Amino acid sequence: MRSEAIDPVGVEWTRVDEKYITVRFITGIIGWLITFAAIGVPLALGWVNVWWSPPLWVQIPAISALVLWAVVDLALIPRQVRAIGYHEREDDLLIRKGLLWQQVVAVPYGRLQYVDIEAGPLMRRFGLCQVQLKTASASTDATIPGAVRSEGARLRDELSARGQARLAGL
């Protein structure tokens, strides 16, 4: 199903690097392991009568639901990453995200205050970065996660130059 509001006619999206899928898998697995540990330790202590725990008929469905949620969450990562894209137009930058709740943000170059590049240890290991566009609006969520570092540097320089050129005309 194609919507012109989400996928404007004539827009060819530049997708983020496929290595970002691996980064998201690693961070997702770490997050779910922490969640399971936070839930599992009190349950295990309850099984040996050191701590209170809910009855087994409550534990089994709850743990099953949590495992199912984790599997679905991790299984959706490749599609979520492939849904991220950006497109440079003459007057603004379009950023697309989302599967079920799709979002397209248009950031006018004249509203850019600065462009920030961020890369944590895991992103650096895979040669990726996150490009953040800062505007006067605090509610603008204009980020491009999973860009190759050279592309991130190019975007930073290009978007900053376009932003300065548009501000000069004000």
Side-chain angles (χ1 to χ4, degrees):
M1 188 168 165
R2 184 177 170 92
S3 167
E4 194 170 316
I6 298 297
D7 289 320
V9 176
V11 170
E12 196 65 36
W13 297 105
T14 303
R15 303 293 178 184
V16 297
D17 196 276
E18 292 281 320
K19 291 183 279 188
Y20 188 54
I21 294 172
T22 306
V23 171
R24 288 280 313 272
F25 269 129
I26 292 170
T27 57
I29 289 170
I30 290 171
W32 280 110
L33 288 175
I34 292 170
T35 301
F36 287 130
I39 292 171
V41 168
L43 287 178
L45 290 174
W47 294 334
V48 294
N49 296 323
V50 174
W51 189 273
W52 175 88
S53 67
L56 201 57
W57 64 270
V58 173
Q59 292 179 21
I60 292 174
I63 292 171
S64 299
L66 194 63
V67 168
L68 180 64
W69 184 8
V71 168
V72 169
D73 183 49
L74 294 173
L76 287 176
I77 287 174
R79 291 197 59 207
Q80 290 171 341
V81 169
R82 289 185 185 111
I84 302 170
Y86 62 94
H87 178 75
E88 297 173 68
R89 296 196 297 189
E90 190 169 325
D91 294 323
D92 58 7
L93 176 75
L94 296 178
I95 301 174
R96 182 191 195 287
K97 294 179 184 176
L99 287 176
L100 193 55
W101 285 273
Q102 296 177 341
Q103 175 187 29
V104 172
V105 177
V107 181
Y109 298 130
R111 299 286 182 192
L112 283 177
Q113 291 183 333
Y114 64 94
V115 181
D116 191 20
I117 294 182
E118 185 178 292
L122 194 56
M123 293 279 269
R124 282 195 313 268
R125 168 72 176 93
F126 286 91
L128 303 174
C129 66
Q130 176 172 290
V131 180
Q132 292 183 331
L133 307 174
K134 303 293 183 177
T135 65
S137 172
S139 65
T140 301
D141 180 24
T143 60
I144 304 170
V148 177
R149 293 181 79 180
S150 60
E151 176 66 3
R154 185 198 69 80
L155 279 170
R156 179 195 57 218
D157 296 342
E158 180 70 24
L159 298 176
S160 296
R162 288 182 185 186
Q164 285 298 320
R166 298 300 191 282
L167 279 175
L170 292 178

